Amino acid sequence: MDPHQTAASPGGDAGGTVASEAARRRTFAIISHPDAGKTTLTEKFLLYAGAIVEAGQVRSRGARRRATSDYLAMEQQRGISITSTVLQFSYRDVVCNLLDTPGHRDFSEDTYRVLAAADAAVMVLDAAKGIEPQTRKLFEVARARHLPVLTFLNKFDRPGREVLELLDEIEEQIGLRATPVTWPVGVAGDLQGVVDRRSGHLIRFLRTTGGATEAPVVVVAPDRAAAELGPAWAHAHEELGLLDAVGADLDVPSFLAGTTTPLFVGSALTNFGVRLLLDGLIDLAPGATPRLDSEGELRPVEAPFAGQVFKVQANMDRAHRDRVAFVRVSSGRFQRGATLVHEPTCRRVTTKHAATVFGAERETLEEAYPGDVVALVNAAGLRVGDTLYEGKPVRFPPIPAFAPETFATVRVRDTGRSKQFGRGLHQLDEEGVVQVLRDPDGLDPTILVAAVGPLQFEVFRHRMDDEFGAPVEMLPTPHVLARRTDKDSLAELRRQHGVKVLTRADGTLLALFESPYNLVRLERDKPELTLEAIIATS
Ligand code: G4P
């Protein structure tokens, strides 16, 4: 037998079971600008799925965040969630895996990686604000991953912008054509209900105290709605006529291809439209989809177990100082205790300590199916992008990440702690907290760290100090962006003013630029140079 192979899982598949379990998974992330309502909507999904009885028991925003996912001291101090994990709940006959993207203003590598593990995304927009910078950035990642995106226009309980204008903005700014599934009757701030365009019926919502419990709905036939609502209904119908005229109708193939977005309106706070959105997600978003392997072949979900590490987090449990690798199952059935092969090293990995993790809470996980996320506790040596499999060897392509935008030199404050410093650099680089960059020729001893957003630097500084006992000094460098390059471009890039070429631990060469104009000029004048914005993480 090939030494890289392990025996197929005991009991084989169950191919049929795996396929049907994969089909009933919905693995998705919510993307939004901070404050658009992601946390509130997540809580309301849990409420409608029956996973919590009452929403908003913890009223304060900070406290609510603390209640879900924090474990680093820094998170507690700031009341934000720095790490991302997964929340699993059942709704109807479907298992939803909601991947939590960090909820802070800053942007990190994590966000990109989490989206790599999702099969769909829900984009939440504040109806008073429309597309905001972070939504745009996150959407770019979703687009790069060809993720189908549903849109929720939130905060309709208070004054907002014209919906037709918001549809134009979505199309203009992110190139996604919105196809409304529900449409508001009455203006934002005085929402009378929504029309379900599929049936033509009016859905009216009743408020509950603080939106703590489900909003009761009344379904009203069009004739009665017209009589009861008069001008508001007539106005909504006029707008619906416009939508019909331009053909802005729900279209599943183009949604799955990522060119149209089914749009829902409502208010996460008062629960208006939440169930319609959740039902839309279940009905429209795909089940666990077959993933491409590095040969470009789609791996069927019924194939033997294979999964990819999309996130590694150390010290989630401060009492144990452990390291958790999050694996998205791509095919087959995962069973706790199975021995898997770690693709890059061919090492065997035991999975006795498999768990589901949300924030500080952990539960042992016995089995998982395509679309699910398995947290492997203390699985040393697993890195983001690595593949784990059973049976014939398989490898998934590296998880792409966007180029870093923040850079600093770093050195240990006390040279007596150099060993700890080296260990910390290695660990935090491996986890992807920062990228550690060095001179490719080893002549200049200066070490740079790079990240997508500045908050990563704070996490890095804090952990170097707190976990590795190696406080660091960091000085920002004048660089503002980076591009992946190669050896053939190296000599020319070194001749350029305001450009520095450094290497990562995995050998990837990065060209750092002090001004975006340098880059634009170079791209124009020297098109033969390799300068790529998307950088593979492994
Ligand atoms: P985020 O995770 O996207 O950052 O947003 P989050 O859900 O925390 O919501 C941000 C603020 O917007 C919160 O108010 C929240 O209550 C409010 N919000 C969310 N959905 C709606 C909605 O549908 N309508 C209205 N009117 N407000 C909404 P906060 O005052 O910052 O916090 P809190 O004290 O209410 O918890």
Side-chain angles (χ1 to χ4, degrees):
M1 191 169 123
D2 182 328
H4 301 170
Q5 288 193 11
T6 58
S9 51
D13 169 24
T17 315
V18 172
S20 63
E21 288 294 333
R24 68 183 198 99
R25 293 303 190 272
R26 297 292 179 276
T27 302
F28 68 102
I30 300 181
I31 58 181
S32 69
H33 192 81
D35 282 345
K38 182 171 72 95
T39 313
T40 311
L41 186 63
T42 301
E43 196 182 24
K44 299 311 173 77
F45 277 173
L46 293 180
L47 176 73
Y48 276 83
I52 55 173
V53 180
E54 204 174 290
Q57 293 113 322
V58 191
R59 294 309 303 274
S60 102
R61 182 180 165 74
R64 188 171 63 216
R65 292 253 158 83
R66 271 196 288 287
T68 52
S69 57
D70 69 339
Y71 28 82
L72 288 174
M74 229 179 99
E75 284 182 297
Q76 276 161 13
Q77 285 157 21
R78 291 169 153 255
I80 55 171
S81 130
I82 290 173
T83 44
S84 325
T85 34
V86 62
L87 186 59
Q88 190 177 65
F89 58 90
S90 301
Y91 179 70
R92 294 182 5 202
D93 55 347
V94 165
V95 178
C96 295
N97 293 307
L98 170 47
L99 306 178
D100 181 31
T101 51
H104 50 75
R105 245 157 245 287
D106 195 37
F107 212 65
S108 76
E109 294 282 345
D110 250 14
T111 319
Y112 294 120
R113 292 176 186 154
V114 165
L115 286 173
D119 292 317
V122 174
M123 175 166 77
V124 180
L125 302 180
D126 181 331
K129 298 193 172 142
I131 302 278
E132 296 179 83
Q134 191 139 315
T135 334
R136 199 175 304 123
K137 224 167 165 182
L138 283 160
F139 174 74
E140 286 304 325
V141 187
R143 189 209 303 274
R145 311 259 353 143
H146 307 292
L147 289 185
V149 177
L150 293 109
T151 299
F152 187 58
L153 282 185
N154 190 27
K155 306 202 182 182
F156 248 83
D157 56 301
R158 66 182 199 194
R161 291 167 50 190
E162 287 284 337
V163 185
L164 286 172
E165 185 188 307
L166 290 167
L167 299 196
D168 285 345
E169 185 168 304
I170 295 170
E171 184 147 7
E172 271 162 28
Q173 296 208 10
I174 60 177
L176 200 55
R177 193 171 150 82
T179 57
V181 177
T182 63
W183 193 256
V185 182
V187 293
D190 184 25
L191 186 69
Q192 306 285 313
V194 300
V195 183
D196 185 334
R197 286 183 76 208
R198 295 162 295 190
S199 65
H201 283 73
L202 169 72
I203 319 286
R204 302 192 83 158
F205 307 101
L206 305 176
R207 267 182 186 265
T208 59
T209 316
T213 51
E214 288 184 30
V217 296
V218 182
V219 180
V220 186
D223 291 352
R224 218 182 92 209
E228 280 179 17
L229 296 179
W233 180 257
H235 182 68
H237 260 257
E238 239 169 68
E239 293 176 321
L240 288 173
L242 288 176
L243 294 181
D244 291 341
V246 297
D249 302 330
L250 174 66
D251 176 59
V252 177
S254 58
F255 157 64
L256 294 176
T259 56
T260 63
T261 178
L263 179 129
F264 297 78
V265 294
S267 156
L269 190 70
T270 59
N271 303 335
F272 293 1
V274 170
R275 186 183 290 285
L276 282 160
L277 173 67
L278 189 52
D279 282 333
L281 179 77
I282 302 303
D283 294 335
L284 301 171
T289 36
R291 307 228 129 195
L292 283 174
D293 65 19
S294 57
E295 308 284 301
E297 301 278 329
L298 276 179
R299 185 174 174 86
V301 290
E302 305 89 332
F305 173 83
Q308 186 171 31
V309 179
F310 66 95
K311 176 185 158 66
V312 172
Q313 175 76 46
N315 301 320
M316 291 185 66
D317 180 347
R318 293 189 54 82
H320 299 103
R321 294 221 175 249
D322 56 7
R323 187 167 182 278
V324 177
F326 291 89
V327 180
R328 140 99 200 204
V329 180
S330 294
S331 64
R333 176 159 63 136
F334 170 86
Q335 285 173 291
R336 190 171 70 86
T339 302
L340 307 175
V341 181
H342 177 227
E343 192 280 331
T345 61
C346 300
R347 239 178 357 98
R348 275 152 208 270
V349 176
T350 55
T351 56
K352 206 167 78 192
H353 300 294
T356 53
V357 173
F358 192 77
E361 283 172 30
R362 252 177 226 187
E363 268 172 43
T364 301
L365 176 98
E366 294 301 338
E367 62 172 17
Y369 289 95
D372 290 344
V373 172
V374 176
L376 294 178
V377 181
N378 276 341
L382 296 193
R383 297 179 51 152
V384 170
D386 290 355
T387 301
L388 295 172
Y389 65 85
E390 274 181 327
K392 281 210 185 96
V394 58
R395 182 158 68 93
F396 292 107
I399 295 176
F402 279 55
E405 293 172 15
T406 321
F407 307 86
T409 59
V410 59
R411 62 186 195 88
V412 66
R413 215 177 269 162
D414 169 3
T415 48
R417 313 288 298 167
S418 296
K419 225 162 140 191
Q420 291 82 348
F421 175 67
R423 218 172 20 236
L425 276 184
H426 177 76
Q427 168 72 32
L428 298 181
D429 187 28
E430 198 171 273
E431 265 183 52
V433 172
V434 289
Q435 298 184 28
V436 177
L437 306 176
R438 294 183 167 89
D439 179 21
D441 304 327
L443 300 176
D444 181 352
T446 313
I447 299 172
L448 261 76
V449 285
V452 174
L455 188 83
Q456 292 297 102
F457 280 177
E458 284 185 50
V459 174
F460 169 74
R461 185 196 291 281
H462 176 83
R463 290 185 58 184
M464 286 299 278
D465 188 355
D466 191 56
E467 260 169 70
F468 299 96
V472 293
E473 259 168 30
M474 296 170 72
L475 281 177
T477 71
H479 305 104
V480 291
L481 49 90
R483 289 289 180 266
R484 192 185 77 78
T485 187
D486 57 16
K487 284 208 177 84
D488 294 341
S489 312
L490 188 62
E492 182 59 46
L493 286 169
R494 279 184 166 157
R495 275 196 284 277
Q496 302 295 321
H497 179 70
V499 182
K500 193 177 181 73
V501 182
L502 296 171
T503 181
R504 294 193 318 200
D506 65 359
T508 305
L509 287 173
L510 288 191
L512 277 51
F513 292 83
E514 290 183 16
S515 140
Y517 305 110
N518 291 349
L519 173 64
V520 172
R521 191 174 41 77
L522 260 187
E523 282 176 330
R524 191 193 55 213
D525 297 347
K526 311 236 177 256
E528 68 280 8
L529 295 177
T530 300
L531 295 165
E532 288 171 5
I534 295 187
I535 297 168
T537 53
S538 64

